[in-house]
């Protein structure tokens, strides 16, 4: 099973409640960035391009809790930067788990093994380790040799200590399908609790702007990557709604719901989403009310949104679609490990 049954149950209840209340825009997952600092300089990430004074800043635990309570999202992803560099990250995680939020701490794995004693295993808490390929490809993506081996050692240690461990993989232009298939086979044998995958998006501050995928490239590449899985030849364990996979391979045509996965950082609530840097708001309600949402998403014609198929915009759409009667049974079967 990938998505824990308790998470599936609570998120389902949350979605039903939002529908009953007649809400059209609401947060499903909060992207909580307590700092932008990192111990890597990946070519596809622009976070460490921030000025030094911003890189030195941290969100306090109280600021994190206030943001979570304000938007009400049942799931909290903690990316960065590298969250394990935050001096109070254990306090932040413990506070979120105490609030019964499902927490995914995203890490490159370098500090993970030595940090395990700071945390307590819980069905509400998972480490999400960044892996963009097997050893050679991953170390190239993060621009440092040896990181893959460190991350794998940390995953094994975390699993042995009783933690839930998922992985997240970003696929870029030029990636060979067989390389990602090999990674998924390896991680399945390793026993991770779920894999997340998303196409790369041309984040404006990323140093490398040449290897992000266009929409049709994304669909073609993911059709190749997912072929053995969709044909039942492998049993990869994805931490995704199956409808999001349908979207990646071109069998679903969704519109973006960027408010469903808002981003909060030391700068505030980012407009309009995690990937586009067009200003910040002081509250989630301000984000909802002042953002001209019709100017974003593929249907808007905005060239910045034309090729985006990233999970932060489309996974909430898939989750909402999963509540439709024709999709609910399939989504439930996936959670129970008897569907795909």
């Amino acid at each position: 099973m990938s998505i824990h049954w308790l998470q599936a149950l609570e998120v389902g209840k949350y979605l039903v409640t939002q529908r009953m209340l007649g809400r059209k825009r609401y947060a499903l997952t909060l992207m909580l960035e307590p700092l932008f600092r990192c111990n890597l300089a990946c070519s596809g990430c622009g976070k460490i391009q921030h000025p030094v004074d911003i890189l030195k800043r941290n969100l306090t635990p109280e600021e994190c809790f206030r943001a979570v309570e304000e938007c009400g999202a049942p799931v909290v992803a903690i990316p960065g930067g590298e969250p394990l560099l935050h001096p109070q990250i254990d306090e932040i995680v413990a506070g979120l788990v105490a609030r019964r939020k499902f927490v995914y701490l995203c890490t490159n794995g370098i500090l993970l093994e030595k940090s395990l004693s700071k945390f307590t295993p819980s069905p509400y808490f998972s480490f999400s380790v960044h892996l963009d390929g097997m050893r050679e490809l991953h170390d190239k993506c993060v621009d440092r040799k040896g990181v893959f081996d460190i991350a794998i050692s940390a995953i094994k240690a975390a699993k042995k200590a009783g933690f839930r461990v998922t992985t997240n993989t970003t696929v870029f232009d030029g990636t060979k399908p067989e390389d990602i298939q090999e990674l998924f086979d390896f991680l399945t044998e390793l026993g991770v609790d779920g894999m997340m995958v998303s196409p790369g998006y041309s984040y404006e501050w990323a140093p490398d702007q040449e290897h992000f995928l266009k929409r049709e490239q994304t669909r073609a590449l993911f059709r190749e990557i997912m072929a053995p899985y969709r044909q039942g030849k492998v049993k990869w364990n994805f931490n995704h709604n199956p409808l999001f996979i349908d979207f990646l391979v071109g069998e679903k045509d969704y519109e973006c719901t960027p408010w469903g996965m808002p981003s909060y950082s030391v700068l505030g609530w980012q407009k309009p989403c995690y990937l586009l840097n067009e200003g910040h708001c002081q509250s989630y309600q301000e984000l909802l009310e002042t953002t001209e949402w019709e100017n974003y998403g593929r249907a808007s014609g905005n060239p910045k949104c034309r090729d985006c198929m990233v999970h932060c915009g489309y996974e909430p759409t898939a989750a909402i679609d999963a509540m439709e009667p024709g999709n609910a049974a399939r989504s439930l079967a996936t959670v129970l490990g008897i569907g795909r």
Side-chain angles (χ1 to χ4, degrees):
M1 185 185 299
S2 53
I3 299 175
H4 194 282
W5 68 266
L6 183 59
Q7 179 182 333
L9 175 64
E10 292 299 325
V11 170
K13 287 166 56 179
Y14 175 81
L15 288 170
V16 170
T17 299
Q18 303 310 305
R19 178 172 292 188
M20 291 177 64
L21 292 172
R23 293 174 180 161
K24 294 183 178 180
R25 296 190 178 116
Y26 49 86
L28 184 61
T29 298
L30 171 63
M31 304 286 280
L32 178 66
E33 299 179 279
L35 80 174
F36 290 136
R37 292 192 307 281
C38 193
N39 46 11
L40 288 175
C42 303
S43 58
C45 176
K47 297 299 181 180
I48 63 169
Q49 307 301 320
H50 284 287
V52 173
D53 63 314
I54 293 177
L55 291 176
K56 290 180 179 179
R57 294 170 61 183
N58 299 328
L59 287 177
T60 66
E62 291 73 22
E63 288 173 321
C64 294
F65 303 150
R66 186 164 56 247
V68 170
E69 291 165 357
E70 182 182 345
C71 74
V75 181
V76 181
I78 308 179
E82 170 52 60
L84 291 176
L85 289 172
H86 195 295
Q88 295 171 288
I89 190 60
D90 51 343
E91 184 179 341
I92 292 171
V93 168
L96 296 177
V97 169
R99 288 165 172 79
R100 299 174 69 86
K101 302 298 181 179
F102 294 93
V103 181
Y104 290 84
L105 192 155
C106 307
T107 175
N108 57 39
I110 293 175
L111 298 175
L112 176 54
E113 194 163 352
K114 65 178 65 176
S115 301
L116 291 176
S117 61
K118 296 180 179 180
F119 304 95
T120 302
S122 166
Y124 286 93
F125 177 57
S126 302
F127 290 110
S128 180
V129 182
H130 170 217
L131 289 170
D132 283 347
M134 295 295 286
R135 181 179 293 106
E136 182 178 353
L137 175 58
H138 180 68
D139 287 355
K140 178 181 178 181
C141 288
V142 302
D143 199 26
R144 185 184 299 180
K145 290 184 178 180
V147 174
F148 178 86
D149 289 335
I150 293 172
I152 296 305
S153 176
I155 289 173
K156 292 177 179 178
K159 289 293 297 176
K160 185 176 180 180
F163 289 96
R164 281 180 52 83
V165 182
T166 64
T167 59
N168 62 84
T169 299
T170 305
V171 178
F172 296 97
D173 184 24
T175 300
K176 297 177 181 178
E178 56 268 27
D179 289 341
I180 302 300
Q181 292 167 347
E182 182 183 4
L183 174 67
F184 290 166
D185 286 340
F186 175 76
L187 294 175
T188 300
E189 293 177 3
L190 196 61
V192 299
D193 295 286
M195 303 179 296
M196 292 176 279
V197 61
S198 181
Y201 172 79
S202 52
Y203 187 79
E204 294 175 297
W205 289 357
D208 180 4
Q209 291 288 321
E210 298 180 1
H211 292 90
F212 293 106
L213 291 159
K214 305 300 182 184
R215 181 168 286 253
E216 287 310 314
Q217 285 179 297
T218 297
R219 288 171 171 166
L221 180 54
F222 273 89
R223 279 195 292 269
E224 289 190 68
I225 291 172
M226 295 295 175
Y229 172 74
R230 292 168 66 80
Q231 294 165 6
K233 296 179 180 179
V234 295
K235 293 184 178 181
W236 296 335
N237 193 20
F238 288 109
N239 201 52
H240 285 298
N241 185 302
L243 301 178
F244 179 67
I245 301 295
D246 290 352
F247 168 71
L248 290 179
V249 302
E251 292 188 0
K252 289 280 187 180
D253 191 16
Y254 289 137
E255 287 299 334
C256 178
T257 51
W259 55 83
M261 202 174 284
S263 173
Y264 181 75
S265 72
V266 296
L267 299 176
W269 295 89
Q270 187 169 328
K271 297 179 65 173
C273 70
Y274 179 67
L275 297 165
L276 295 181
N277 186 19
E278 300 194 0
H280 293 80
C281 298
Q282 295 306 303
S283 71
Y284 180 63
Q285 195 61 34
E286 181 188 348
L287 176 72
L288 289 181
E289 294 176 354
T290 66
T291 303
E292 296 179 345
W293 299 108
E294 67 274 9
N295 293 338
Y296 303 100
R298 185 170 59 94
S300 71
N302 188 329
K304 293 182 179 180
C305 303
R306 179 181 56 215
D307 293 309
C308 180
M309 296 179 70
V310 181
H311 66 97
C312 62
Y314 292 95
E315 190 118 48
T317 317
I320 294 169
D321 192 28
M323 300 303 293
E324 295 299 322
N327 296 323
R330 181 180 170 209
S331 297
L332 177 61
T334 302
V335 171
L336 297 176
I338 57 176
R340 65 183 63 243

